[in-house]
Amino acid sequence: MRFQSQPAFDEGFRVAGTATSSHDQTWEQPWGERRLVRDRHNELRVDFASVAGAPRKFSLRVRVFDDGFGFRYEVPQQPGMTRST
């Protein structure tokens, strides 16, 4: 990840922790082809922390479903990083 006014999140990090979980739930949606949707997946979260310079952190969350996968980066609030519009 690269930012306009911050150092990039592409090097200088270590794995600070991991967590796994499984989820199996059915939920109801008011639109679409199916009224009931099954949400069944396994998840891995990997937390990263900077090894030098200003302390920075982020997480990578990966979910694997029966028919595909998804991922997202999570950057928590931290000193020196502000939300821009």
Side-chain angles (χ1 to χ4, degrees):
M1 290 181 283
R2 296 186 181 270
F3 302 96
Q4 214 171 26
S5 61
Q6 297 290 329
F9 276 23
D10 59 352
E11 60 182 36
F13 287 88
R14 66 175 174 79
V15 174
T18 62
T20 60
S21 64
S22 295
H23 186 81
D24 191 354
Q25 181 180 10
T26 301
W27 58 278
E28 186 174 351
Q29 67 175 346
W31 64 88
E33 297 176 7
R34 291 182 291 164
R35 185 174 64 91
L36 298 177
V37 177
R38 187 172 186 188
D39 177 10
R40 180 173 55 187
H41 63 267
N42 293 312
E43 179 179 287
L44 169 65
R45 189 190 77 232
V46 182
D47 300 320
F48 294 90
S50 59
V51 295
R56 299 181 298 152
K57 59 186 176 181
F58 71 95
S59 298
L60 171 64
R61 190 177 300 262
V62 180
R63 288 183 178 175
V64 178
F65 301 85
D66 291 340
D67 57 353
F69 74 97
F71 68 93
R72 71 178 178 196
Y73 293 98
E74 299 172 350
V75 181
Q77 282 190 325
Q78 51 198 299
M81 302 219 39
T82 59
R83 181 182 207 141
S84 64
T85 55

